[in-house]
């Protein structure tokens, strides 16, 4: 459970906020002064601090400075009034994750906290935890001041990984805009963080923005911000992502999903390096490095009129291709071992290794979901593992049966009489819809496993990771006797 410390001298505000966050699954403590807050941090480990900017005995600037010096891994969000917004932006540049304005709105608070905790979980200091990432020797040179890799991204020994690390090292010290290309789940945001943290901007904000979740109406406000009362629903002044990232790096994920109108506004901001909040006449100078990521073919989008060619060329000063997991060879096992360590810490378990069958399965599986899929598979397997080794039983059904499809385990067929040829019932109709495709895949899987174990239903159920009753029900459903 994530631990949060609220520091606010308005007791009622702290109490209401504490109750709200507790209902949403957080472990919350409160302090009514800066001194009390530092004492609480001394006596317990917190992932995040929500600190009011104006306290009786100190202010947000001093609290942020002290927390960053003494507890550098703890994230800080500033709670501020309207008049303190300019100072809140300055605090973000000093290392605060974000700010929340009063009056407090539940959805805004929860969204900001969840994003801050995701960032806290993702960033790992290699200097303090060298086992968290496997870094090629070249990346350890003195020219790189700080080498930090996100928890879901591990560089390894494969040719693709070494080339990726070389490109990161090459482009990081520059101010080039970068396009990161690759399939979903390959760790594009982790590479963007690595570029930022190995650049001269590493002490400045890294602001990530998911363009795929933005509606046309919200996009302008999220990018550029707005003044209070500038449109219906603008209940408070909002700082846009460009302004929050000023001096640092702005990461735009799935930029191909932006509407054509927003692309035009984005182009103007990128060209002029100035931003103006909605409802304001004041232009703000920008010094922002932009990194974008996409799993779409932007060149094809240009040809079809979905993406502006001039914006593409503004972004494309340097491009990095993210290899899919299936092309990273033995790095798959390095990643699996890394995620197993994390899962053991989360679950309080001591699973030590993978069986040889699991290793073979991992190396031959297609990994359509890439690193994200691998991480979820390991977390699930660590929870289901019996003993200190992960076996095929702990893997999802589609993976354990995938193993059988390319190499039949000998111990299932040893000392068994030759299986009587089985003629599967003819499938009369094939419809190209997802539901029908899933049923057909399940049918083929059950038939294949039954053949493999000479129609021993106990063994088949064990391989399929279901109980005998479920197997009988599924056989009955497909008229298999």
């Amino acid at each position: 459970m994530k631990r949060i410390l609220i520091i606010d001298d308005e007791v009622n505000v702290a109490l209401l906020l504490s109750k709200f966050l507790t209902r949403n699954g957080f472990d919350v403590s409160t302090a009514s002064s800066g001194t009390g807050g530092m004492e609480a941090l001394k006596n317990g480990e917190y992932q995040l601090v929500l600190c009011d900017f104006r306290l009786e005995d100190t202010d947000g600037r001093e609290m942020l400075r002290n927390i960053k010096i003494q507890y550098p891994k703890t994230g800080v969000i500033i709670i501020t009034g309207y008049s303190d917004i300019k100072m809140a932006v300055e605090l973000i540049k000093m290392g605060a994750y974000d700010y929340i304005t009063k009056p407090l709105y539940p959805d805004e608070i929860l969204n900001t906290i969840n994003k801050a905790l995701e960032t806290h979980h993702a960033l790992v200091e290699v200097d303090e935890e060298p086992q968290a990432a496997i870094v090629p020797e070249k990346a350890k040179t003195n020219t790189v001041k700080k080498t930090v890799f996100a928890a879901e991204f591990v560089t390894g020994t494969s040719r693709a990984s070494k080339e990726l690390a070389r490109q990161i090292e090459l482009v990081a010290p520059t101010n080039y805009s970068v396009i990161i290309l690759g399939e979903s789940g390959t760790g594009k945001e982790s590479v963007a963080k690595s570029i930022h943290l190995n650049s001269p901007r590493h002490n400045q904000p890294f602001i990530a923005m998911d363009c795929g979740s933005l509606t046309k109406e919200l996009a302008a406000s999220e990018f550029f911000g707005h003044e209070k009362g500038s449109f219906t629903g603008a209940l408070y002044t909002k700082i846009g992502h460009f302004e929050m990232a000023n001096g640092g790096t702005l990461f735009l994920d799935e930029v191909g999903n932006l509407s054509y109108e927003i692309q035009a506004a984005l182009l103007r901001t990128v060209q002029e390096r100035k931003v103006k909040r909605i409802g304001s006449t004041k232009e703000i100078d920008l010094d922002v490095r932009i990194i974008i990521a996409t799993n779409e073919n932007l060149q094809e989008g240009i040809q079809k009129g979905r993406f502006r060619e001039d914006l593409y060329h503004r972004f494309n000063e340097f491009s990095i291709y993210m290899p899919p997991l299936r092309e990273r060879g033995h790095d798959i096992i390095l990643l699996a071992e890394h995620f197993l360590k994390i899962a053991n810490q989360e679950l309080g378990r001591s699973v030590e290794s993978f069986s040889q069958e699991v290793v073979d399965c991992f190396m031959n599986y297609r990994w359509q979901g890439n690193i994200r899929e691998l991480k979820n598979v390991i977390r699930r397997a660590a929870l289901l593992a019996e003993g200190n080794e992960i076996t095929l039983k702990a893997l999802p059904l589609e993976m354990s049966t995938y193993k059988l499809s390319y190499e039949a385990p000998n111990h299932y067929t040893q000392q068994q009489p030759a299986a009587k040829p089985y003629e599967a019932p003819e499938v009369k109709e094939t419809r190209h819809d997802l539901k029908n495709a899933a049923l057909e895949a399940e049918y083929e899987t059950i038939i294949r496993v039954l053949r493999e174990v000479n129609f021993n239903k106990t063994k088949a159920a064990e391989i399929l990771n279901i109980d005998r009753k479920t197997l009988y029900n599924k056989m009955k459903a497909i008229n298999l006797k």
Side-chain angles (χ1 to χ4, degrees):
M1 184 179 292
K2 302 298 183 182
R3 300 193 67 199
I4 296 177
L5 174 63
I6 300 170
I7 306 175
D8 197 323
D9 52 15
E10 293 185 45
V11 179
N12 290 336
V13 172
L15 183 61
L16 289 172
L17 190 53
S18 174
K19 288 182 177 179
F20 169 71
L21 293 177
T22 301
R23 286 199 303 270
N24 282 276
F26 299 105
D27 181 5
V28 185
S29 301
T30 61
S32 58
S33 65
T35 304
M38 295 307 295
E39 189 66 26
L41 285 165
K42 181 179 178 181
N43 296 327
E45 183 178 342
Y46 295 89
Q47 283 76 41
L48 189 64
V49 174
L50 271 63
C51 182
D52 191 16
F53 179 69
R54 298 184 182 276
L55 298 169
E56 290 184 359
D57 58 344
T58 185
D59 61 23
R61 183 193 288 106
E62 190 65 27
M63 287 298 295
L64 176 63
R65 185 180 294 115
N66 291 336
I67 292 171
K68 284 300 175 184
I69 291 173
Q70 298 181 43
Y71 310 99
K73 289 188 177 182
T74 301
V76 180
I77 293 176
I78 300 297
I79 302 174
T80 179
Y82 294 128
S83 60
D84 299 324
I85 288 179
K86 184 176 180 181
M87 181 56 66
V89 174
E90 292 299 319
L91 291 173
I92 289 175
K93 294 180 180 180
M94 290 172 58
Y97 174 77
D98 206 342
Y99 70 92
I100 304 173
T101 56
K102 293 179 180 179
L104 304 177
Y105 295 95
D107 290 342
E108 180 193 4
I109 294 168
L110 202 56
N111 185 48
T112 304
I113 287 174
N114 284 331
K115 287 182 178 179
L117 288 173
E118 286 175 8
T119 302
H120 171 270
H121 178 72
L123 295 177
V124 177
E125 294 287 347
V126 171
D127 291 341
E128 298 180 8
E129 298 182 42
Q131 74 278 8
I134 301 163
V135 187
E137 289 298 320
K138 189 174 181 182
K140 298 178 182 178
T141 62
N142 293 329
T143 58
V144 180
K145 296 180 179 179
K146 189 175 186 180
T147 306
V148 181
F149 292 91
E152 69 272 18
F153 177 71
V154 176
T155 59
T157 57
S158 70
R159 181 180 299 177
S161 294
K162 288 180 178 178
E163 175 60 20
L164 178 59
R166 188 189 72 82
Q167 291 189 26
I168 291 172
E169 183 182 0
L170 188 66
V171 76
T174 73
N175 275 321
Y176 286 7
S177 297
V178 181
I179 296 180
I180 304 175
L181 308 165
E183 297 178 9
S184 179
T186 50
K188 295 187 287 294
E189 183 171 348
S190 299
V191 169
K193 288 174 184 172
S194 297
I195 293 171
H196 170 74
L197 291 165
N198 285 282
S199 76
R201 300 173 180 263
H202 66 265
N203 288 324
Q204 299 299 318
F206 175 87
I207 304 297
M209 187 174 181
D210 181 8
C211 300
S213 63
L214 291 177
T215 63
K216 180 179 177 181
E217 293 75 20
L218 285 177
S221 176
E222 291 294 321
F223 274 120
F224 314 121
H226 63 251
E227 296 291 346
K228 180 183 178 182
S230 57
F231 55 86
T232 303
L235 303 177
Y236 54 88
T237 298
K238 179 180 177 62
I239 305 298
H241 283 67
F242 269 103
E243 196 173 344
M244 284 194 287
N246 208 358
T249 302
L250 178 61
F251 172 65
L252 305 178
D253 196 12
E254 302 306 339
V255 73
N257 293 325
L258 292 173
S259 69
Y260 210 78
E261 293 81 0
I262 291 299
Q263 291 176 35
L266 193 58
L267 175 65
R268 187 163 55 250
T269 300
V270 173
Q271 284 178 332
E272 298 175 2
R273 296 290 168 174
K274 294 180 183 292
V275 67
K276 185 165 59 177
R277 296 180 202 160
I278 298 172
S280 173
T281 58
K282 180 182 177 182
E283 287 190 330
I284 301 167
D285 291 331
L286 290 178
D287 174 23
V288 177
R289 182 182 195 170
I290 299 175
I291 302 177
I292 73 167
T294 180
N295 58 15
E296 297 183 13
N297 187 333
L298 293 183
Q299 294 280 11
E300 183 180 317
I302 291 171
Q303 294 174 3
K304 294 183 177 179
R306 295 196 307 265
F307 199 82
R308 293 182 64 106
E309 185 174 9
D310 46 6
L311 182 61
Y312 173 80
H313 290 302
R314 279 285 175 181
F315 287 148
N316 193 28
E317 293 181 325
F318 192 89
S319 60
I320 292 178
Y321 169 68
M322 290 293 299
L325 184 58
R326 57 187 171 272
E327 293 180 6
R328 292 181 62 176
H330 189 67
D331 293 347
I332 296 171
I333 306 305
L334 297 180
L335 282 158
E337 291 171 346
H338 172 61
F339 291 136
L340 182 58
K341 290 179 183 178
I342 295 175
N344 279 331
Q345 292 172 359
E346 290 178 350
L347 301 171
R349 304 204 64 184
S350 56
V351 183
E352 297 176 357
S353 60
F354 306 94
S355 71
Q356 186 57 47
E357 288 181 327
V358 170
V359 171
D360 293 341
C361 181
F362 282 0
M363 294 298 291
N364 289 277
Y365 188 62
R366 292 295 294 168
W367 297 113
Q368 297 296 337
N370 290 293
I371 296 174
R372 186 180 296 122
E373 181 182 6
L374 174 61
K375 182 178 181 179
N376 291 335
V377 166
I378 297 300
R379 295 182 74 209
R380 176 188 187 276
L383 181 64
L384 295 177
E386 300 173 359
N388 61 358
E389 184 180 69
I390 290 178
T391 63
L392 280 178
K393 282 180 61 177
L395 300 186
L397 177 61
E398 65 270 18
M399 291 193 67
S400 57
T401 52
Y402 188 92
K403 160 71 178 173
L404 288 173
S405 70
Y406 69 82
E407 182 182 355
N410 293 331
H411 63 275
Y412 289 134
T413 55
Q414 286 178 350
Q415 299 179 347
Q416 295 286 351
K420 181 180 178 181
Y422 179 84
E423 295 183 3
E426 182 180 353
V427 179
K428 294 182 179 179
E429 181 183 1
T430 300
R431 298 189 302 275
H432 296 291
D433 60 83
L434 286 177
K435 185 176 180 180
N436 190 57
L439 289 173
E440 289 180 7
E442 185 174 271
Y443 167 83
E444 293 295 336
T445 299
I446 292 173
I447 290 294
R448 186 169 61 248
V449 173
L450 284 169
R451 284 175 174 169
E452 198 60 51
V453 297
N454 199 25
F455 294 89
N456 184 318
K457 297 180 185 63
T458 301
K459 287 185 177 180
E462 182 180 353
I463 296 170
L464 293 167
N465 202 22
I466 58 178
D467 55 44
R468 280 174 58 90
K469 183 177 179 181
T470 302
L471 177 60
Y472 278 116
N473 289 339
K474 289 184 177 294
M475 292 173 64
K476 183 179 179 180
I478 60 176
N479 296 319
L480 182 61
K481 299 188 184 299

